[in-house]
Each structure stands twice: as C-alpha cells, then as structure tokens.
Amino acid sequence: EGKTALITGGNSGIGRATALLMAREGANLALVGRNRQRLDQVVEEVQALGVQAQGFEADIAQPQQIEQAIAQAAARFGRIHIAHLNAGIYLRCPAAELTMEQIRAIMDNNFYGTLNALYPLLAHMKAQGGGSIVATLSMDGKKGVPPDGAYVASKFALNGFFQVLRQELRGSSIHIGA
C-alpha cells in the first residue's frame, strides 16, 4: 500500500492481472506497454480502484524508449519501489522451421528487452536505497517443450541471468525475483 510499482507489458495478460492485483493492494502504478489504447484502458481500470496510475508507451526492445519511460515514471511518482519485468512475446514454431529473424526478435524482446529495463531500474533503486525487481519467467525456462524453441531459449537465458543476479545482489537493498 502506498508504494509505486512499474510493470512492463502492463497493458494485457499477466501484466494487466498484476496491475489489478497491485491496485487492489493500494499500489500506485506506472504501466509500460506498446499499445497506447490498451494501456489507457488498464490505467482507467486501476484508477477506478482508487490508486494513481499512468501509462508509458514504450517497446522494451528499444533501449532508449524503455529508459525514457522509466525516467518519466520515476519523475512522476518519485520512487519506483517494485518493478515487474513482464513484457514478452510468444511464438509457437518447431525449432527446425524457425528463421534467424524470428529467433532474434524473440531474444531482442524477451531477453535483451528485459535487460534494457533492468539496468535503468537497478540504477534508480541503488540511488534510492533499495527496491524489488521481479521478472516473469516460465516453466519453458526450465525444460524445453516443443514447439517453443525460440521462446524456450529466451526464457532459459533470462532464468540463468536472474539466478546469477539474485546471488550477486543477495544481502543488498535490492531484491531480485523470478
């Protein structure tokens, strides 16, 4: 209650559900997404629950866009206590039929896009003295399931990275979860 949470992919699916849950718990929300219309709809839904909320249109695969959205959210709310790095794309396609362009698009969004958001948030939370960052993973990040080759690869990479980051930041004022 009274904390500010930033959610990437906050305009649909798991991100929207998380936004509604956090709003019911009294959190103010900075919602990041690529679709302005859906973003505005979710902002209205959570504001109806009595919290402050603002949408920031950005694509996490574009580092400058997500950095700007995080800076704007920090300026608007003062602090970002919680970040839920949730934005991602899913593609069902047998691994043998994937193109390199498809694989790069999944990795650019799900892995590198998450890191594009992670690093400015880490800097913000270090400067403010702490916070919590949680990434949405998947069981696909633990066991490969056909026909999800590119998605599985992106979630395996993210799982490994966040395991290392959590260990490195253990005992600090920044909590890492996945």
Side-chain angles (χ1 to χ4, degrees), residues 1 3-33 38-56 77 82-87 136:
E1 187 169 337
K3 295 190 177 190
T4 297
L6 180 139
I7 304 170
T8 66
N11 58 341
S12 64
I14 294 170
R16 177 182 170 271
T18 302
L20 290 168
L21 176 66
M22 288 186 171
R24 287 186 195 103
E25 295 292 326
N28 297 313
L29 295 161
L31 303 176
V32 180
R38 286 190 305 181
L39 199 54
D40 290 344
Q41 290 171 349
V42 178
V43 166
E44 287 180 21
E45 285 182 87
V46 297
Q47 286 175 334
L49 296 171
V51 299
Q52 296 179 43
Q54 185 170 339
F56 300 90
F77 292 101
I82 304 159
H84 180 197
L85 305 181
N86 172 69
T136 297

Side-chain angles (χ1 to χ4, degrees), residues 26 36 39 49 54 84-85 89 92 103 109 113 116 135-136 140 145 154-155 159-160 177-178:
R36 172 52 69 185
L39 199 54
L49 296 171
Q54 185 170 339
H84 180 197
L85 305 181
I89 54 177
R92 287 186 72 85
I103 295 167
N109 194 85
N116 289 339
T136 297
D140 278 351
V145 179
S154 71
K155 293 300 184 170
N159 183 12

Side-chain angles (χ1 to χ4, degrees), residues 6 20 55 65 67 78 81 112 132:
L6 180 139
L20 290 168
Q65 287 184 24
E67 287 173 22
H81 301 91
Y112 294 114
S132 182

